[in-house]
Amino acid sequence: MVGGIFSSFTRNPFLFPRAYVILNSCIPFYFSEKRLNKQHEHKRYLLIAGLGNPEAKYDGTRHNAGFAALDYLSGKWGIGVSKTKFQGLWGQGEVDGHKVVLLKPLTYMNLSGDSIAPLAGFFKIPADHVIVLCDDITQNPGKLRIRPSGSAGG
């Protein structure tokens, strides 16, 4: 049984579907002609990374909300996240004709860039085509915040 602060996710069955709807509506924007650099036009990828911590003691906790959100998206989009490389589990597929890479870094959250940056570099994904899903301690459980940039502190 899942308890504690993470139970708010199970009490709010609309949180991950809401994130799914928002991300689905963002994908056409990320691939719009105005945003694409002509030299990278053939590389129309979007990277979505769900953050968490790899230890079992974090399973089912708010700290692994990014992993849970990515699992939800993976299931909805039919993209398996089982390849191991770049210090994480990842998979790729298409959403509405656009290439999407999903990543679960298996580093601790504060080292997630050690997984995200090499994978983005491999696929030549620019920083503005990377979306990071994670828990934000400054937000109440079950709330969703979207912003175009962040920092080491969130």
Side-chain angles (χ1 to χ4, degrees):
M1 171 141 178
V2 176
I5 202 160
F6 192 73
S7 63
S8 64
F9 292 122
T10 58
R11 284 195 310 256
N12 185 350
F14 302 106
L15 180 64
F16 293 147
R18 195 168 62 219
Y20 165 75
V21 167
I22 290 168
L23 286 170
N24 255 356
S25 65
C26 288
I27 287 175
F29 168 75
Y30 273 94
F31 296 103
S32 70
E33 292 304 318
K34 289 181 181 177
R35 288 185 46 86
L36 287 175
N37 183 331
K38 292 292 182 190
Q39 66 184 359
H40 296 292
E41 197 166 319
H42 66 289
K43 294 285 188 184
R44 295 179 180 215
Y45 281 96
L46 179 64
L47 169 58
I48 302 173
L51 304 190
N53 278 331
E55 288 185 61
K57 70 181 181 180
Y58 295 104
D59 289 349
T61 68
R62 180 178 175 178
H63 209 62
N64 278 6
F67 280 179
L70 198 82
D71 288 341
Y72 183 87
L73 295 174
S74 169
K76 289 294 280 186
W77 289 332
I79 300 173
V81 180
S82 58
K83 297 177 185 176
T84 56
K85 196 173 182 181
F86 309 108
Q87 297 185 61
L89 295 173
W90 67 280
Q92 66 186 81
E94 288 195 8
V95 177
D96 294 331
H98 302 292
K99 296 174 185 173
V100 175
V101 179
L102 302 179
L103 171 66
K104 281 180 166 179
L106 295 180
T107 60
Y108 284 93
M109 289 181 75
N110 59 333
L111 298 174
S112 58
D114 293 347
S115 176
I116 295 170
L119 189 139
F122 179 80
F123 285 100
K124 296 179 176 54
I125 301 171
D128 66 346
H129 277 68
V130 176
I131 295 175
V132 177
L133 308 173
C134 63
D135 172 55
D136 184 340
I137 198 67
T138 64
Q139 295 290 107
N140 290 327
K143 298 295 180 189
L144 186 63
R145 177 175 69 165
I146 299 173
R147 62 185 187 163
S149 64
S151 67

